[in-house]
Amino acid sequence: MTISKVAVLVAGSWGTALAAVLADNGHQVRLWTRNPDQAAEINSKRTNGKFLGDALLPQGIEAVTELQTALEEVCAVIFVAPSAAMREVARAAAPYIGKDVLCVHATKGFESGTHKRMTTVLAEELDRKESSLAVLSGPSHAEEVVRKQPTTVVVASAEQHQAESAQDLFINSYFRVYTNPDLIGVEVAGAIKNIIALGAGLSDGLSFGDNAKAALITRGLTEIARLGDAMGANMLTFAGLAGVGDLIVTCTSTHSRNWRAGSLLAKGLALDEVLNQMGMVVEGIRTTRAAYELAKLYDVQMPITEQLYQVLFEDKSPKLAVESLMGRGRTHEIEEVTKAWSRHV
């Protein structure tokens, strides 16, 4: 493995965890943050307490606050900015990124307002083709990755050599990386699963039990597949790590911000109170609005998303939302997606 300089933008929980993986692989990692105190903590104590508690980061990570410094002479840039900040970060970084630099993002969401996927945003700001970019996704909690607990993810790019370059950069004994050519499917799955995790948190917060959550996860996967198919994804992607794998871990783990946010909403907290208590970005909330509008644009049924939209933005009670889902008209479980699946089998 060639040792290289890599920039990670920004120093949230997932960005820091990925920086740790890269440092464990021997790369020289510059982790960018706007916060001087956070940078000082990472450099002096090798911790990022706000996001990852007392987890000790490996040597080889240098936190910097100047974007140009972070990007000097790097062979790869890993974008891990929140979806709402991705365009701003990419625009600021673009002048310092050469055309031969590998660009990967690991953000799960759509851009607010435009509903664009993150690779579309990056392609526009970096003046590149989407096919030259890669996305890293899959079932992966930062809290476990930074402690070197076994994790398996997928890197997708329309250009196989880009996916393999990212795979080589990250893969090690505890962080296994597969490749996938379906960029759209991996991004759609990563975004929409956050909505379903909000629903799972609501269900658990209301003590509806395992039966209800299993149904929610299963029908949630159908919603992901419906929208993904309409947007041009390969349906087989949703049976893999980026689809059902990420959906399971996000809907069943207390590490999940989206699950925790849903659980707090079920307890009667207002959305503003939930966000204040979380203290971190909850991508599923923004994504719910985007997916609700995308469903209308592509004319696909997404009843779970619709009910969560009403809970988040129209003050519908969580209990009434579940009752609305359970009271829907009769339908066939398989028929609605069979044609879409058959195109890819």
Side-chain angles (χ1 to χ4, degrees):
M1 179 177 57
T2 303
I3 304 306
S4 53
K5 295 178 181 177
V6 182
V8 178
L9 322 174
V10 297
S13 57
W14 190 217
T16 303
L18 290 177
V21 172
L22 293 165
D24 280 338
N25 289 353
H27 300 297
Q28 298 174 34
V29 183
R30 298 198 191 106
L31 181 58
W32 178 69
T33 173
R34 290 189 175 97
N35 187 330
D37 293 335
Q38 185 185 36
E41 178 193 350
I42 291 170
N43 291 332
S44 62
K45 299 181 180 178
R46 290 168 53 205
T47 59
N48 189 351
K50 177 181 178 181
F51 295 104
L52 294 170
D54 61 357
L56 193 63
L57 303 177
Q59 300 287 351
I61 298 175
E62 178 190 4
V64 298
T65 56
E66 293 295 329
L67 193 54
Q68 183 174 359
T69 301
L71 296 166
E72 285 177 354
E73 299 180 346
V74 298
C75 75
V77 181
I78 317 302
F79 290 89
V80 206
S83 61
M86 184 65 81
R87 188 176 293 277
E88 176 193 353
V89 171
R91 183 174 297 169
Y96 312 116
I97 299 176
K99 291 298 182 183
D100 59 342
V101 172
L102 174 66
C103 291
V104 183
H105 87 78
T107 297
K108 299 171 181 178
F110 299 109
E111 183 178 43
S112 299
T114 69
H115 311 329
K116 292 178 178 179
R117 294 177 290 107
M118 292 296 100
T119 48
T120 304
V121 172
L122 288 174
E124 291 175 352
E125 294 301 330
L126 301 179
D127 192 23
R128 294 188 176 203
K129 294 180 179 179
E130 281 191 41
S131 60
S132 71
L133 303 170
V135 54
L136 184 150
S137 192
S140 47
H141 287 308
E143 296 86 349
E144 296 182 3
V145 171
V146 78
R147 298 183 187 278
K148 303 183 183 182
Q149 293 183 275
T151 301
T152 306
V153 297
V154 63
V155 170
S157 178
E159 295 182 7
Q160 182 65 17
H161 73 279
Q162 299 283 22
E164 290 176 351
S165 295
Q167 181 184 44
D168 291 342
L169 200 65
F170 282 102
I171 194 167
N172 62 28
S173 61
Y174 66 88
F175 198 75
R176 181 165 178 79
V177 185
Y178 288 86
T179 62
N180 185 326
D182 182 19
L183 191 67
I184 294 174
V186 168
E187 287 190 289
V188 171
I192 304 301
K193 61 90 185 179
N194 284 329
I195 301 173
I196 310 306
L198 278 170
L202 278 172
S203 179
D204 286 342
L206 293 168
S207 300
F208 281 164
D210 294 338
N211 295 346
K213 186 158 68 172
L216 187 72
I217 292 171
T218 307
R219 298 308 300 168
L221 184 61
T222 299
E223 292 197 14
I224 293 171
R226 284 190 192 125
L227 183 60
D229 181 59
M231 294 179 71
N234 186 323
M235 294 285 279
L236 294 177
T237 295
F238 305 125
L241 290 164
V244 68
D246 205 4
L247 184 63
I248 290 170
V249 78
T250 311
C251 289
T252 60
S253 173
T254 55
H255 287 314
S256 168
R257 299 179 196 176
N258 295 283
W259 181 93
R260 297 203 308 270
S263 180
L264 290 172
L265 285 167
K267 291 176 170 55
L269 273 70
L271 181 57
D272 288 345
E273 293 176 300
V274 170
L275 293 175
N276 288 335
Q277 187 163 325
M278 295 289 294
M280 292 185 282
V281 172
V282 182
E283 285 285 3
I285 292 172
R286 292 194 187 100
T287 304
T288 299
R289 186 185 294 278
Y292 176 79
E293 294 172 0
L294 282 168
K296 293 184 179 298
L297 177 66
Y298 286 97
D299 193 25
V300 295
Q301 292 187 11
M302 299 182 69
I304 297 172
T305 299
E306 182 178 349
Q307 291 302 319
L308 284 170
Y309 177 88
Q310 292 178 18
V311 169
L312 292 171
F313 305 114
E314 296 180 354
D315 295 324
K316 188 171 188 175
S317 77
K319 188 173 185 297
L320 185 57
V322 174
E323 290 174 355
S324 297
L325 286 171
M326 295 298 290
R328 293 177 68 233
R330 294 181 296 174
T331 187
H332 194 291
E333 180 187 24
I334 307 243
E335 183 178 6
E336 58 190 356
V337 293
T338 297
K339 291 181 181 179
W341 277 98
S342 65
R343 290 198 296 271
H344 305 283
V345 175

